[in-house]
Amino acid sequence: MQWSDLAGADLAPLSDLADKWRGYTAHLEEYGSVLAEDVAKKLGEDVFEGADAAAARDRVARLRAVITGDVLERAVSVRDGLSTAYEALQAELEEHAAVEADAGDLRLRIQNDGAVVRIEQTVLGTDAAAALNQQITTLAQRVADCMGRFEAADANLAHRLQGAIEEPSKLPLPIGENPDIRDIPTGPGHVADWWAGLDPMEQAAYLEAFPEFLGGLDGMPADARNTANEATLASEIDSLDAEITSIEAQLAALEAGGDHMMTAGRGETMETEEYRDLQARLEELQGKRDDATGLQENIETLERDGRDVYLLDYSLDDDGQAVVAIGNPDTADNTAVHVPGTYSELSNYSTQLDRASVMYKDAERAAPGEETAVIAWLGYDAPDDLAQASDPQQAHDATGDLNSFMNGLDAAHQGDDSHTTLMGHSYGSTVAGDTIRNYEGVADDLITVASPGTTANSAEELNLAEDHIWSATAEGDAIELPQDLGLLGHDSTSDGFGGNAVTADAIGASGSEIHGGYWKDLDENGDGVPDRPNSARTNIANIITGQYDDVETVG
């Protein structure tokens, strides 16, 4: 802000707006006070009798309470805020004029940046010069204070003007108190109850204030989490763009000045440490941006296909994480949560969304009259190599988060309970199985696909009835060796484990191809045209939709 901006400020429109709001709140006060006796008289006991009259009177009472309570309180808040802002700005305009007058009396000039300078550079005695310098210092401080207070009042006014529109009846009024993060409870059930107890305006205020926190909070509704995460992801991309631009400019400046290279002995040159650090940071930021925009594009692709998609959680840290639902889990009759395995990270998350989309479509065909949601849950740090995948520690580390997520789905669900299935592929089945083994009531069914082990040695160790434990491994799958080693528990498809082994087709020319072929179609006669889905897909769809009699088991 410049000093001259204050002189040019026109407060007449603000004064008019404050007057309009005074009239609006007066109207609300009057309307609220006469509503009960005026309308209730028309719907009173002497006019109507019975249940209809009682219901009408109840509606009138509730309407009066809203108008004289919450709406009026919020309208008064806007009115008072506008009045306060007007008074504050008017006071600073008056101070501006007073400072200008004092400066003129002292033969001083106030520059646009707030600096105070002498108009005439005359020779002064020591005492006179000291006195004038003190006056200049005092005047400069008054200028700075005036500009600072004006900016603060202007910022407050901008906030108030967001609500003060021409049609107050349509006003998105602010909540009575500012949202406080300390009021947000912990635990999925408590979170769901807290959110349900907020009115729509309060919910909107919390989403605007704390999107990065609410987006990953188990127990929040899917649409609210999606709103929060979409906003946070877009903001993170903007921040990454800004930092990338800054670092690119720093690198260009070093290169232009020749400061990116140094002599390393024997006449050889090498890049400076500063230059190398900036390049490494740039590469890291570009990788994160690619992951973030890739996630956005994957979701947009699904939405263009007509799917309801919900971004339930994500992280750009390290290898990255994402949790995306196809279909609304809050209203679904059937909900499946799929946990991917080794090598899974945000950069290749599109593979998991493709698989979730296949399972969603299969479930739609299996139960066309029911609503299904399928969630790709990459909410943990998956192993980066086979050595890590032979250790159950990363599965152990993930179980608490997965259990909380499953509880959050249950807490946020509307209406009758959803039939829930927790499933995992490869090491993801280790995560899913270990979660079922350590927590009760996680899901109605467990499906393991190409599992190296569930950390359990038998179905009896899992907190599910054996007839709700399902396992699929195709012949020739590369996972057969880890199954034989038993490093992550016994093979869940073996006869001695218990539960149900279901059929799966081996699709692929190698063990690794078969390992990823469970979501593909089978070309039975070799003519290049798919004849039917992998039987594992059909079985998964029937389990997800609770059609157990149609599941094809081995033997």
Side-chain angles (χ1 to χ4, degrees), residues 351-391:
T351 298
Q352 308 311 324
L353 287 180
D354 289 343
R355 292 173 178 177
S357 184
V358 166
M359 289 186 283
Y360 179 87
K361 293 174 183 176
D362 290 344
E364 276 192 321
R365 284 191 291 267
E370 298 180 3
E371 183 182 354
T372 297
V374 178
I375 302 170
W377 190 86
L378 181 57
Y380 81 113
D381 179 26
D384 295 325
D385 51 47
L386 295 179
Q388 290 182 1
S390 65
D391 187 332

Side-chain angles (χ1 to χ4, degrees), residues 343 386 425-426 450-452 473-485 506-518:
Y343 307 121
L386 295 179
H425 173 240
S426 192
S451 176
T473 299
E475 185 177 356
D477 190 315
I479 202 68
E480 289 178 339
L481 177 58
Q483 287 177 340
D484 292 340
L485 294 175
I507 300 178
S510 66
S512 59
E513 288 185 5
I514 293 171
H515 189 64
Y518 294 88

Side-chain angles (χ1 to χ4, degrees), residues 281-538:
R281 178 60 176 161
L282 180 61
E283 184 178 356
E284 177 189 0
L285 292 171
Q286 288 172 333
K288 284 189 174 184
R289 190 188 187 284
D290 288 344
D291 286 347
T293 56
L295 179 59
Q296 280 185 326
E297 290 165 4
N298 290 332
I299 290 173
E300 289 169 0
T301 298
L302 288 170
E303 290 175 336
R304 283 194 295 270
D305 290 340
R307 303 300 178 195
D308 289 330
V309 187
Y310 301 84
L311 179 57
L312 302 181
D313 204 359
Y314 81 95
S315 171
L316 301 182
D317 295 336
D318 301 321
D319 290 338
Q321 297 180 6
V323 180
V324 173
I326 302 176
N328 189 348
D330 293 346
T331 57
D333 301 299
N334 308 293
T335 303
V337 177
H338 173 62
V339 185
T342 306
Y343 307 121
S344 297
E345 54 188 40
L346 193 52
S347 64
N348 57 34
Y349 185 67
S350 59
T351 298
Q352 308 311 324
L353 287 180
D354 289 343
R355 292 173 178 177
S357 184
V358 166
M359 289 186 283
Y360 179 87
K361 293 174 183 176
D362 290 344
E364 276 192 321
R365 284 191 291 267
E370 298 180 3
E371 183 182 354
T372 297
V374 178
I375 302 170
W377 190 86
L378 181 57
Y380 81 113
D381 179 26
D384 295 325
D385 51 47
L386 295 179
Q388 290 182 1
S390 65
D391 187 332
Q393 187 57 52
Q394 284 171 264
H396 295 332
D397 293 341
T399 58
D401 289 337
L402 182 52
N403 177 61
S404 176
F405 178 76
M406 299 298 292
N407 286 338
L409 293 179
D410 182 57
H413 194 267
Q414 305 165 17
D416 295 337
D417 291 342
S418 181
H419 171 247
T420 59
T421 302
L422 179 58
M423 64 175 292
H425 173 240
S426 192
Y427 193 86
S429 70
T430 307
V431 176
D434 199 43
T435 303
I436 294 287
R437 188 172 69 87
N438 284 284
Y439 297 94
E440 295 183 357
V442 175
D444 298 308
D445 288 280
L446 170 67
I447 303 175
T448 67
V449 179
S451 176
T454 60
T455 74
N457 291 321
S458 72
E460 294 178 350
E461 297 179 23
L462 301 174
N463 285 304
L464 271 178
E466 288 193 30
D467 56 350
H468 288 275
I469 299 172
W470 315 85
S471 302
T473 299
E475 185 177 356
D477 190 315
I479 202 68
E480 289 178 339
L481 177 58
Q483 287 177 340
D484 292 340
L485 294 175
L487 298 175
L488 301 175
H490 288 177
D491 176 8
S492 55
T493 61
S494 62
D495 293 337
F497 186 84
N500 304 286
V502 303
T503 60
D505 295 302
I507 300 178
S510 66
S512 59
E513 288 185 5
I514 293 171
H515 189 64
Y518 294 88
W519 291 271
K520 296 181 179 180
D521 290 313
L522 183 65
D523 177 12
E524 290 185 298
N525 56 21
D527 62 359
V529 179
D531 297 301
R532 63 173 176 81
N534 191 319
S535 62
R537 278 175 49 185
T538 305

Side-chain angles (χ1 to χ4, degrees), residues 118-385:
R118 293 169 60 185
I119 296 176
E120 300 174 355
Q121 297 300 319
T122 56
V123 178
L124 300 173
T126 303
D127 292 341
L132 183 58
N133 286 337
Q134 180 59 49
Q135 290 170 326
I136 290 174
T137 301
T138 301
L139 199 63
Q141 186 60 52
R142 288 177 63 191
V143 169
D145 291 345
C146 182
M147 292 175 69
R149 288 192 299 265
F150 192 96
E151 286 184 337
D154 187 60
N156 179 56
L157 172 62
H159 172 72
R160 295 294 180 177
L161 287 177
Q162 291 177 3
I165 58 178
E166 288 299 318
E167 299 179 74
S169 62
K170 298 180 181 178
L171 176 72
L173 295 165
I175 62 173
E177 296 181 2
N178 292 327
D180 190 335
I181 198 169
R182 292 171 297 183
D183 293 335
I184 302 174
T186 58
H190 296 302
V191 169
D193 291 343
W194 165 76
W195 185 258
L198 301 177
D199 67 38
M201 294 311 303
E202 289 172 324
Q203 292 175 350
Y206 271 96
L207 284 173
E208 182 177 356
F210 311 114
E212 71 286 346
F213 181 72
L214 295 179
L217 193 59
D218 296 327
M220 290 284 292
D223 58 352
R225 292 181 73 159
N226 181 67
T227 298
N229 286 318
E230 283 188 339
T232 305
L233 182 58
S235 177
E236 281 205 75
I237 291 173
D238 289 343
S239 297
L240 287 168
D241 285 340
E243 191 171 357
I244 287 171
T245 300
S246 174
I247 291 179
E248 287 176 338
Q250 294 176 61
L251 289 170
L254 290 174
E255 293 166 358
D259 298 325
H260 64 301
M261 303 296 290
M262 66 179 184
T263 302
R266 298 183 183 180
E268 296 180 358
T269 59
M270 61 182 294
E271 293 175 343
T272 64
E273 182 178 358
E274 178 187 11
Y275 189 75
R276 290 197 305 272
D277 288 346
L278 285 171
Q279 285 183 316
R281 178 60 176 161
L282 180 61
E283 184 178 356
E284 177 189 0
L285 292 171
Q286 288 172 333
K288 284 189 174 184
R289 190 188 187 284
D290 288 344
D291 286 347
T293 56
L295 179 59
Q296 280 185 326
E297 290 165 4
N298 290 332
I299 290 173
E300 289 169 0
T301 298
L302 288 170
E303 290 175 336
R304 283 194 295 270
D305 290 340
R307 303 300 178 195
D308 289 330
V309 187
Y310 301 84
L311 179 57
L312 302 181
D313 204 359
Y314 81 95
S315 171
L316 301 182
D317 295 336
D318 301 321
D319 290 338
Q321 297 180 6
V323 180
V324 173
I326 302 176
N328 189 348
D330 293 346
T331 57
D333 301 299
N334 308 293
T335 303
V337 177
H338 173 62
V339 185
T342 306
Y343 307 121
S344 297
E345 54 188 40
L346 193 52
S347 64
N348 57 34
Y349 185 67
S350 59
T351 298
Q352 308 311 324
L353 287 180
D354 289 343
R355 292 173 178 177
S357 184
V358 166
M359 289 186 283
Y360 179 87
K361 293 174 183 176
D362 290 344
E364 276 192 321
R365 284 191 291 267
E370 298 180 3
E371 183 182 354
T372 297
V374 178
I375 302 170
W377 190 86
L378 181 57
Y380 81 113
D381 179 26
D384 295 325
D385 51 47

